[in-house]
DNA sequence: AAAGGCCGTAACAATTTCTTAATGCGCTAA
DNA sequence: TTAGCGCATTAAGAAATTGTTACGGCCTTT
């Protein structure tokens, strides 16, 4: 894998150098910027894998910069970690709401910083990864075509049924309660009765067979291990 | 999801009660302790999801308590938020070095306190991997899958039995009386006869064997050490 | 505009799980 | 030894949860 690039945005030059030194030692490429404006410019220029963003800065503060980044198609997918000095009493927790993926309180040990960076990257890669075909048991679930194949039979499931099946199958063995399934498959702010899930499960079973989706009474459903 | 438990350690009783009141209103279970020593004892006893730790306290101060916790295998993974009366740059640095996960200056508004707690918990959950499986003796109790494995046998226990077993196993060796078990597994405001616990214990023993859950006459039950 | 598929909801049946209460057993103290 | 207490065990019915079906609204296609 190519070297990962990290953009560090902070107005304290000493800290910037310290972080650069430590990240380079870990094998990252490092780009530096001293305020939000410069940060955005360099982000567009270098397309980094992750941004470390201080909140208190001159010209354009970190919060504002992140808002701008999240609104920019080119930059919106880049994971961001906020750095906050504990003296910023006001903005601390809002960072995550604005679109940060983690926030770190300065001062922080180098090892901790690095493990956080890796954790965020790992999380990101997992969600980024586009696995378009799932093969489980004797099923092949093709997300590009919304088609499920079982042996030489092909099933064209309706969208909700397909997505429900795909979600469960991609987390084989793990139980999910109805509310979680609704949030993940239907969407976070969709209001439907949770028994709707049952009906869709029923329809999937009707078409593919009873033994793929298991019921865990009182808890939810899971795809057979 | 089961209730999250928070241990609050502070020598000011009034503040302790205030925090308890507010956290309970938010749906947390709250355990209280008035000094570091008692805090560590209660942490071991109740295995909380997070600790709010005052720094200035008699007997054993918060800093020392946290050092002890971080050195203890049983407690090292619990996230800790420091509380202190005054913003003091020096203690702050020290606190984070010693292993605190966040740092809050009193006084603080309730909403702020709660959002910080949730932020730290969220961060923690995301960093944690595979903490939902308990391996005790020859049993593997997998909460993601709601399955108990013994050797190569799999048992699908009903929900209450599973959760009771999980609760006891996660506090291996600690005795719990029936009322506590009802509160923790059934829920705080569920009223059922406490002998109900006996029946569930009986069913677990029937399926997995007699020797995992031990009876302590006149007190309650415990998972074998 | 009609037909057909998809989706969400409600109703009721089927099933599993939970709770209770009754009974028996074993230990301990008088 | 016996009474008393606490726990184990069992079975039955109550409660909770899920399965199944049917229907109406909506959208898309024809």
């Amino acid at each position: 894998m190519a070297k990962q690039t990290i953009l560090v945005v902070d107005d304290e030059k000493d800290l910037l150098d310290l972080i650069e030194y430590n990240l380079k030692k870990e094998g990252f490429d490092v780009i530096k910027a001293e305020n939000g404006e410069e940060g955005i410019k360099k982000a567009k220029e270098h397309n980094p894998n992750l941004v470390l963003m201080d909140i208190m800065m001159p010209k354009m503060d970190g919060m504002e910069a992140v808002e701008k980044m999240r609104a920019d198609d080119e930059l919106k997918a880049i994971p961001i970690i906020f750095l906050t000095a504990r003296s910023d009493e006001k903005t601390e927790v809002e960072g995550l709401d604005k679109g940060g993926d983690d926030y770190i309180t300065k001062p922080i040990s180098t090892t901790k910083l690095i493990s956080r960076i890796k954790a965020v990257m790992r999380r990101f890669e997992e969600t980024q990864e586009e696995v378009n075909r799932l093969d489980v048991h004797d099923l092949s679930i093709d997300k590009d075509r919304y088609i499920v194949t079982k042996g030489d039979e092909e099933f064209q499931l309706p969208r909700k049924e397909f997505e429900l099946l795909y979600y469960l199958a991609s987390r084989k063995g793990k139980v999910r309660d109805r509310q979680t399934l609704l949030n993940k498959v239907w969407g976070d702010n969709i209001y439907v009765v949770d028994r709707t899930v049952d009906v869709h499960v029923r329809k999937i079973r009707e078409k593919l067979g009873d033994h793929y989706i298991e019921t865990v009474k009182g808890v939810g459903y899971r795809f057979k291990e």
Side-chain angles (χ1 to χ4, degrees), chain A residues 124-176:
Chain A
F124 238 76
E125 271 159 25
E126 278 166 15
T127 45
Q128 288 267 303
E129 217 171 284
E130 282 290 329
V131 182
N132 291 323
R133 182 178 305 170
L134 270 178
D135 292 297
V136 277
H137 304 305
D138 58 343
L139 291 184
S140 178
I141 306 172
D142 186 334
K143 193 153 196 182
D144 284 335
R145 297 187 297 153
Y146 272 69
I147 281 180
V148 179
T149 313
K150 177 184 178 183
D152 50 3
E153 276 183 294
E154 277 197 352
F155 298 90
Q156 178 135 197
L157 299 191
R159 196 176 74 227
K160 290 280 189 254
E161 290 170 36
F162 183 91
E163 286 175 357
L164 179 59
L165 176 69
Y166 187 87
Y167 181 81
L168 286 169
S170 68
R171 284 150 184 87
K172 194 163 62 154
K174 306 227 174 187
V175 181
R176 291 284 180 266

Side-chain angles (χ1 to χ4, degrees), chain A residues 7-20:
Chain A
L7 169 64
V8 188
V9 189
D10 199 311
D11 59 319
E12 292 172 63
K13 285 190 184 172
D14 291 345
L15 184 61
L16 218 47
D17 290 340
L18 178 68
I19 292 178
E20 177 184 27

Side-chain angles (χ1 to χ4, degrees), chain A residues 27-212:
Chain A
F28 295 106
D29 272 341
V30 178
I31 312 293
K32 295 183 286 187
E34 290 182 24
N35 58 62
E37 202 177 308
E38 191 190 345
I40 289 187
K41 202 178 118 224
K42 296 219 168 163
K44 288 202 176 199
E45 206 173 317
H46 297 277
N47 194 33
N49 301 93
L50 183 141
V51 178
L52 275 182
M53 175 77 72
D54 188 27
I55 290 189
M56 295 290 284
M57 284 182 302
K59 274 214 172 180
M60 186 193 292
D61 76 18
M63 220 60 100
E64 196 186 337
V66 167
E67 277 183 81
K68 284 224 163 70
M69 285 184 63
R70 289 308 188 214
D72 185 332
D73 276 341
E74 214 180 322
L75 304 176
K76 63 165 43 150
I78 302 173
I80 297 167
I81 297 177
F82 278 110
L83 288 171
T84 75
R86 177 51 61 235
S87 33
D88 324 345
E89 275 298 323
K90 198 173 167 192
T91 45
E92 295 147 0
V93 190
E94 292 162 24
L96 288 172
D97 295 336
K98 291 277 193 279
D101 296 290
D102 201 349
Y103 82 87
I104 292 178
T105 303
K106 293 191 289 190
I108 185 167
S109 74
T110 308
T111 47
K112 216 165 179 176
L113 175 64
I114 285 171
S115 82
R116 288 278 193 81
I117 288 174
K118 289 187 172 167
V120 169
M121 283 186 157
R122 193 165 50 234
R123 232 159 61 210
F124 238 76
E125 271 159 25
E126 278 166 15
T127 45
Q128 288 267 303
E129 217 171 284
E130 282 290 329
V131 182
N132 291 323
R133 182 178 305 170
L134 270 178
D135 292 297
V136 277
H137 304 305
D138 58 343
L139 291 184
S140 178
I141 306 172
D142 186 334
K143 193 153 196 182
D144 284 335
R145 297 187 297 153
Y146 272 69
I147 281 180
V148 179
T149 313
K150 177 184 178 183
D152 50 3
E153 276 183 294
E154 277 197 352
F155 298 90
Q156 178 135 197
L157 299 191
R159 196 176 74 227
K160 290 280 189 254
E161 290 170 36
F162 183 91
E163 286 175 357
L164 179 59
L165 176 69
Y166 187 87
Y167 181 81
L168 286 169
S170 68
R171 284 150 184 87
K172 194 163 62 154
K174 306 227 174 187
V175 181
R176 291 284 180 266
D177 62 34
R178 290 177 177 71
Q179 201 50 57
T180 303
L181 292 170
L182 286 177
N183 288 340
K184 295 294 184 179
V185 176
W186 272 252
D188 268 331
N189 33 22
I190 304 290
Y191 168 73
V192 291
V193 170
D194 63 1
R195 297 296 311 278
T196 298
V197 175
D198 299 34
V199 178
H200 285 266
V201 167
R202 163 71 179 58
K203 288 182 174 166
I204 294 171
R205 286 174 173 162
E206 192 171 57
K207 288 164 188 162
L208 301 179
D210 281 352
H211 50 293
Y212 297 109

